[in-house]
Amino acid sequence: MSAEPRVLIVDDDASVRASLGAYLEDEGMFVESFAHARDVIAWLGENPADAAIVDVRLGEIDGQSLIVRAHQLCPDLKFLIYTGSLGYQLPDSLRSVGMTPQDVLYKPLRNLHVMAEAIRRIAGKERSDVQQR
Amino acid sequence: MLRAKTSVATLTIVAIVAVATVLLAALGFINYFTESHEQRARLDAETASRANQLAVGLALPLWNFDRPQIDRVIESAMEAPEVYGVIVHQHDVSAPGQSAIYSKMRDGGSASSTTGVGLLAQERPIVASNETLGSVKVFVTRAYVEERLRKSLLWLAARIVAVDLILIFCLYTLLRQMFLMPLRSVEKFASSVTTGMRDPRPVTQQHFSGELESLRGSIEKMIDLLDERYAALQRSQAMLTGVLNSVPHYIFWKDRNSVYMGGNQVFAHAMGLKDATEVPGKTDFDFWAREEAEKYRAADAEVIRTGKPLKRQFKATQPSDGTEVWLDTIKTPLHDAEGNVTGVLGVYENMNEQRRAEEALRLNEEQFRMLFEQNIVGITIFDVMCTPEGTPVDYRLVRANSAADRHSGLNMQSGIGKTGAELPWKWPEQLQHDLMRLGCEGGHLSYERFNDSLGRFFEVSAFSPMPGQFAMIFNDITERKHAEAVMLESEKMRTVAGLAAGMAHEINNPLAGMLQNAQVVLNRISPDLPANRAAAQKCGTNLEAVAAYMKERGIPEMLQSIRHSGERAADIVANMLSFSRKNEAEIRPQRLDEVLDQAVELAQSDYDLKKNFDMKKIAIEREYEPGLPEVPCRSTEIQQVVLNLLKNAAQAMSDRGERPEPPRITLKLGRDNGNARIEIADNGPGMPESVRQKIFEPFFTTKEPRSGTGLGLFVSYFIITRNHDGQIDVQSTPGKGTRFSIRLPLRPENKNVS
């Protein structure tokens, strides 16, 4: 894989954020971590990204709103939800930006490999589309 | 009046005048006759004397034949008016028998005419010297006397007339003044009283005389008295009429022939008449239909015959407007002074209002009786017996409805009239005291009571319906209590579920941090990652040495252990909220008997289960109601619940050391009020109430530590209540067993359960 995906991690739990980032970097991905949604928006204004892993419960702006905003800024950006709420279900607002129930992962993941695969799935789809073009 | 008939005054005057006239006339005539006689006698006497005088006077002339003298004598005799004539005979001596006559007659009459009526004659011999010379005859007429007498008679008549006139005038004036006018005043006064236009003044201001004054006094007094009596009579009459017309009763009276003699206004109107004055003379046939009229007349006849009152109530058609009326009548005989029955007095009353009122009262009473009798709450009423000082000493049951029997399970009816000591139940001392005081002092008392012998809850409300009584209204609230408990339970469970969901999120985040870090650490000591070697070299060592060290110190196992613990914690949390996890399976109609059978199969093959006991050693009895319709549900979830309950039962029975009978689980399937009902009952050790109340709480377990998570029933509870809108509850009798009941609605609710 010549171009590893650039991944954004948005989670207010530092331990989750750091360990997930470390794992994905070990997997060879480019990782940028954020604790606050507003920083993500600011960053996206100037930098490219392939995928974003977003926690639902964040600070002032929640994960869902962030995804909707970010999609407006970067329509090509793909998203995964990573939440501790076991009853969480994908709302229509997120289905309309192209997300599916597959894109929702529940904390804690027994194996982070699942996450890496999911990122490659959504980002790779994009890439394969690009390659096909 | 006086003019109309011959008045007393006229009669009186005529009588008096007549009497006076007769008397005067009689007296006049007597006087007349006396005088007439006297006149005649005097005339005779005068004539005799005249004759004598003539005889004497003529003697000489005659002797002398002195004729002139004779004539003068005769002439002078003729001067007397009564002397009609004088005849003088002279005896002729020489010629006896011859006589010369010297006569003188008034009015040229002859002696021959003197023989006529009314002439008196006196003859005297004329004697001279004893020799009769002749005779003289004097004729006297009575005419003069009679003329006087006639005149005197006329005077008499004139006097009588005058006297009469005076009498009439005097009498009339007198009568008029003394009698007629006063009488007329009195009469006028009396007649004014009669006509009712009485001048309030007395008869007259004038003072009457004598008896009339006293008569006037008497009459005035009498009139006043009469007036007073008349007024009193009028008042009494008015009062009677007023009474007759004021009473709401219909009153009439008839004679012996059942002919109406009168009636009051109300009666007249009811009969269709305008006024009570129209009643007399009417008969029943004028008012009623023939049949009715005859009935009434028969009643009259009976009253007249027996002389006793007759009371009747019947329905009649009122003549005035044709309405149907209920009448309450009484007919009484009317008696005269001698006690003979003269007729019938009828009094009747329109009973419609009363009937209506009675009917309304009856309905009302019926309604309240039904309210009491048919009430679903038990009602009992007690009398309180007090000492003269007012201290309650005992009570007595006076009323109890059927619900009271039903709720209490006692035969209250047989206890009616019995006192506290005789009644087949005992209240706590304090309650009994409070109830009796309530009966005396009023007030209100409410309490709930658990009846041990019936095992049911009652809500009791006591009050005093009237002084000296207390009533108790009690209701079986066992079901409500139960429902309340269920609601409380579900409330509690909802709270717990909310708490669990909140906690899950909070725990999952640190768990993620822990597990992820452990994985990253394990990754970073793995020889497979090129970056690891680079880092080791950079640190002046190699990966193998680090790995050896780690292994030496048991670090990889510890890391694995961290991962296991984390995973286990994650499992617990996930399990706890498994009912809320997104389930892609649709709710669709399922055959519950198949679901149950599959769950039994799963239980029998479950390895974990087999570790502790063999499901096959437990007898499974199935009692499925045939023809149960398919029930909308998620079969996997229901299976999970049934499996949980089977495990629970199996474990409970395995805990039991001594087994008096072989372990058995009974599965029942049936209908319950629009629900499908699943029952899973075991004959295990059962559980006490304290355990039963907490059985669905998460992490509550009586199992050996680590033999289970304590989440099975918690999850089952929510699968049934939250995901399927059903109910689950448990009943247990320690030593006998436990029975779980699940109810699932047969009709799916339009509620999207996730």
Side-chain angles (χ1 to χ4, degrees):
Chain A
M1 292 198 183
S2 54
E4 284 296 337
R6 284 150 301 183
V7 180
L8 309 183
I9 299 171
V10 193
D11 201 310
D12 58 350
D13 190 312
S15 172
V16 171
R17 201 165 61 229
S19 56
L20 185 58
Y23 182 84
L24 294 178
E25 277 174 354
D26 285 350
E27 287 283 315
M29 299 180 188
F30 301 101
V31 174
E32 200 68 45
S33 296
F34 301 90
H36 301 290
R38 59 169 190 274
D39 299 338
V40 180
I41 301 297
W43 194 86
L44 278 174
E46 296 163 8
N47 306 284
D50 296 307
I53 302 162
V54 183
D55 188 10
V56 176
R57 294 193 201 178
L58 288 170
E60 356 171 15
I61 306 172
D62 72 18
Q64 292 172 170
S65 310
L66 171 62
I67 291 170
V68 173
R69 263 312 275 292
H71 178 72
Q72 287 168 350
L73 284 171
C74 315
D76 288 340
L77 186 60
K78 302 295 172 191
F79 303 96
L80 289 173
I81 291 268
Y82 189 38
T83 178
S85 302
L86 296 180
Y88 181 78
Q89 289 182 50
L90 204 58
D92 290 343
S93 62
L94 297 193
R95 286 177 194 266
S96 65
V97 305
M99 292 186 71
T100 65
Q102 275 185 303
D103 301 331
V104 180
L105 301 170
Y106 295 96
K107 288 176 188 172
L109 280 174
R110 309 303 194 264
N111 194 334
L112 287 174
H113 185 63
V114 176
M115 181 67 85
E117 285 299 303
I119 291 167
R120 290 205 177 89
R121 172 168 56 79
I122 57 169
K125 196 165 93 187
E126 166 70 11
R127 210 163 43 224
S128 63
D129 290 347
V130 174
Q131 282 169 351
Q132 276 170 12
R133 235 181 279 150
Chain B
M1 268 176 102
L2 276 172
R3 276 163 199 85
K5 294 175 191 170
T6 312
S7 75
V8 176
T10 313
L11 280 173
T12 310
I13 292 169
V14 167
I16 291 174
V17 169
V19 168
T21 307
V22 168
L23 280 175
L24 283 172
L27 281 171
F29 277 114
I30 290 169
N31 192 37
Y32 170 77
F33 283 121
T34 312
E35 196 163 322
S36 163
H37 192 261
E38 274 176 9
Q39 291 276 343
R40 280 175 196 214
R42 198 163 63 230
L43 195 60
D44 283 347
E46 276 173 8
T47 307
S49 142
R50 206 171 300 268
N52 287 341
Q53 281 175 359
L54 276 174
V56 171
L58 285 171
L60 192 54
L62 211 47
W63 181 265
N64 298 326
F65 294 104
D66 185 352
R67 186 136 183 141
Q69 189 64 23
I70 293 169
D71 284 341
R72 274 192 303 267
V73 170
I74 291 170
E75 277 298 324
S76 89
M78 282 297 280
E79 277 172 9
E82 65 267 26
V83 177
Y84 188 76
V86 179
I87 296 171
V88 179
H89 289 272
Q90 194 167 34
H91 297 293
D92 193 350
V93 190
S94 52
Q98 281 277 286
S99 57
I101 299 167
Y102 306 87
S103 73
K104 178 90 174 173
M105 286 292 165
R106 216 178 280 263
D107 305 329
S110 65
S112 60
S113 67
T114 60
T115 55
V117 186
L119 288 181
L120 286 173
Q122 287 276 347
E123 195 171 13
R124 291 292 184 268
I126 304 167
V127 178
S129 320
N130 296 332
E131 191 182 343
T132 305
L133 299 177
S135 67
V136 67
K137 203 174 184 179
V138 179
F139 295 88
V140 179
T141 180
R142 283 190 200 161
Y144 180 72
V145 173
E146 277 177 5
E147 176 66 28
R148 268 203 333 216
L149 283 173
R150 204 173 64 244
K151 272 184 186 164
S152 116
L153 246 164
L154 277 174
W155 269 109
L156 179 68
R159 275 203 308 273
I160 288 173
V161 167
V163 166
D164 281 355
L165 285 175
I166 289 165
L167 258 179
I168 287 170
F169 174 77
C170 290
L171 278 173
Y172 181 72
T173 309
L174 198 70
L175 279 173
R176 188 180 139 78
Q177 279 302 313
M178 293 190 68
F179 295 100
L180 289 180
M181 273 168 57
L183 277 176
R184 216 172 279 174
S185 307
V186 171
E187 187 208 355
K188 205 169 140 194
F189 175 73
S191 82
S192 77
V193 172
T194 319
T195 54
M197 314 273 289
R198 191 196 163 188
D199 192 336
R201 281 170 307 175
V203 176
T204 171
Q205 299 299 327
Q206 188 185 335
H207 187 77
F208 295 165
S209 55
E211 296 87 341
L212 270 177
E213 182 59 32
S214 88
L215 176 68
R216 177 178 72 169
S218 302
I219 285 181
E220 272 184 5
K221 242 181 252 171
M222 183 185 82
I223 294 288
D224 281 347
L225 201 67
L226 277 177
D227 208 26
E228 227 167 78
R229 289 196 181 163
Y230 183 66
L233 201 65
Q234 268 190 331
R235 277 200 301 275
S236 142
Q237 179 85 33
M239 175 64 118
L240 270 179
T241 312
V243 167
L244 275 179
N245 289 331
S246 304
V247 291
H249 295 74
Y250 302 77
I251 302 173
F252 60 84
W253 49 101
K254 299 175 180 178
D255 64 13
R256 287 185 67 96
N257 298 317
S258 287
V259 175
Y260 284 95
M261 296 196 296
N264 67 352
Q265 208 68 30
V266 185
F267 172 76
H269 290 158
M271 294 304 112
L273 300 175
K274 280 203 176 66
D275 196 83
T277 53
E278 296 173 46
V279 174
K282 295 275 195 299
T283 66
D284 286 313
F285 296 114
D286 295 322
F287 302 138
W288 308 95
R290 180 165 195 85
E291 203 177 311
E292 269 182 294
E294 268 164 8
K295 196 172 77 187
Y296 301 152
R297 290 167 72 92
D300 294 345
E302 191 183 332
V303 172
I304 291 165
R305 186 171 52 77
T306 60
K308 281 177 183 160
L310 192 64
K311 274 182 156 186
R312 273 183 188 169
Q313 285 191 2
F314 51 84
K315 213 173 190 177
T317 310
Q318 188 154 283
S320 61
D321 50 12
T323 51
E324 290 267 288
V325 282
W326 267 102
L327 302 179
D328 184 10
T329 72
I330 178 162
K331 276 184 176 168
T332 323
L334 287 170
H335 297 97
D336 61 11
E338 281 78 41
N340 300 314
V341 178
T342 57
V344 178
L345 172 71
V347 178
Y348 67 90
E349 211 178 342
N350 184 336
M351 299 265 289
N352 282 11
E353 279 307 312
Q354 204 178 331
R355 285 253 164 183
R356 254 198 290 277
E358 276 170 13
E359 182 64 11
L361 200 68
R362 197 188 62 73
L363 273 176
N364 199 34
E365 198 275 338
E366 172 82 3
Q367 206 164 48
F368 276 100
R369 203 171 55 76
M370 294 307 272
L371 188 66
F372 177 80
E373 218 33 75
Q374 307 286 314
N375 211 314
I376 52 165
V377 299
I379 307 173
T380 49
I381 300 173
F382 297 86
D383 275 343
V384 179
M385 288 163 282
C386 298
T387 61
E389 290 78 42
T391 316
V393 285
D394 204 355
Y395 54 92
R396 180 192 289 126
L397 179 64
V398 289
R399 275 197 141 179
N401 67 354
S402 50
D405 284 11
R406 210 164 50 242
H407 288 325
S408 65
L410 296 164
N411 186 354
M412 291 267 191
Q413 302 305 322
S414 68
I416 286 174
K418 289 185 178 167
T419 59
E422 301 162 336
L423 288 167
W425 69 80
K426 277 278 164 286
W427 284 318
E429 198 66 39
Q430 184 61 40
L431 175 62
Q432 180 173 314
H433 177 75
D434 289 348
L435 285 171
M436 290 200 293
R437 238 186 47 200
L438 189 74
C440 294
E441 296 166 15
H444 190 263
L445 195 64
S446 285
Y447 59 93
E448 282 180 10
R449 192 159 172 246
F450 183 73
N451 184 316
D452 293 321
S453 57
L454 294 168
R456 301 196 72 86
F457 274 104
F458 290 101
E459 182 182 50
V460 185
S461 184
F463 63 99
S464 179
M466 58 176 72
Q469 280 196 339
F470 67 89
M472 297 173 82
I473 293 180
F474 55 98
N475 203 7
D476 187 336
I477 53 162
T478 312
E479 297 302 322
R480 200 181 81 197
K481 280 270 171 190
H482 184 66
E484 276 173 7
V486 166
M487 220 168 76
L488 211 68
E489 174 79 3
S490 70
E491 192 64 36
K492 181 183 81 183
M493 295 301 279
R494 253 203 306 282
T495 308
V496 169
L499 215 66
M503 271 179 62
H505 180 261
E506 296 309 316
I507 289 167
N508 281 336
N509 269 309
L511 277 179
M514 189 174 92
L515 284 170
Q516 287 173 189
N517 277 304
Q519 191 180 3
V520 172
V521 170
L522 281 168
N523 259 3
R524 290 191 173 183
I525 58 173
S526 158
D528 300 341
L529 204 63
N532 292 353
R533 293 185 181 280
Q537 273 175 359
K538 198 175 157 189
C539 292
T541 180
N542 62 59
L543 204 53
E544 281 71 27
V546 174
Y549 169 79
M550 296 271 214
K551 200 175 176 188
E552 184 66 25
R553 299 303 290 159
I555 288 170
E557 287 76 17
M558 290 177 193
L559 285 169
Q560 284 299 344
S561 178
I562 290 172
R563 284 189 81 181
H564 283 140
S565 295
E567 280 167 10
R568 191 175 142 71
D571 282 343
I572 291 169
V573 172
N575 265 336
M576 189 165 71
L577 294 174
S578 63
F579 62 86
S580 69
R581 187 167 301 156
K582 169 95 179 139
N583 194 327
E584 294 298 328
E586 286 291 314
I587 286 189
R588 59 169 58 93
Q590 308 282 350
R591 287 188 54 140
L592 282 185
D593 51 350
E594 288 175 1
V595 174
L596 290 187
D597 287 346
Q598 283 162 12
V600 171
E601 229 173 275
L602 271 173
Q604 285 170 342
S605 61
D606 190 306
Y607 175 74
D608 281 344
L609 221 48
K610 278 183 181 171
K611 274 197 295 193
N612 293 314
F613 48 85
D614 196 348
M615 198 67 185
K616 292 198 167 137
K617 284 183 183 162
I618 298 172
I620 306 278
E621 291 181 7
R622 294 177 175 84
E623 296 176 22
Y624 298 164
E625 183 187 301
L628 188 76
E630 294 188 331
V631 177
C633 64
R634 286 196 194 98
S635 58
T636 50
E637 287 185 346
I638 301 301
Q639 249 175 41
Q640 186 189 341
V641 172
V642 176
L643 186 61
N644 273 334
L645 297 178
L646 287 172
K647 277 185 192 175
N648 220 60
Q651 284 178 352
M653 286 189 288
S654 75
D655 291 345
R656 195 171 178 174
E658 308 270 312
R659 200 181 302 274
E661 55 185 56
R664 186 182 69 238
I665 292 176
T666 308
L667 284 171
K668 281 190 194 172
L669 191 54
R671 269 184 227 234
D672 178 10
N673 245 343
N675 293 310
R677 183 186 172 93
I678 304 168
E679 266 185 31
I680 298 158
D682 65 47
N683 62 348
M687 53 187 146
E689 180 65 19
S690 57
V691 171
R692 195 197 66 79
Q693 284 177 355
K694 292 181 176 173
I695 197 82
F696 294 114
E697 289 177 15
F699 311 115
F700 178 80
T701 179
T702 55
K703 296 170 194 167
E704 291 298 310
R706 305 191 66 79
S707 69
T709 59
L711 285 170
L713 289 177
F714 174 73
V715 170
S716 298
Y717 180 89
F718 281 100
I719 286 174
I720 298 299
T721 60
R722 183 173 175 269
N723 296 7
H724 288 87
D725 257 335
Q727 288 170 20
I728 178 165
D729 58 41
V730 60
Q731 286 168 305
S732 184
T733 314
K736 292 203 169 165
T738 302
R739 182 172 65 224
F740 281 91
S741 300
I742 297 166
R743 280 182 289 273
L744 296 174
L746 285 171
R747 285 167 185 277
E749 301 272 327
N750 276 346
K751 188 172 161 189
N752 193 15
V753 181
S754 54

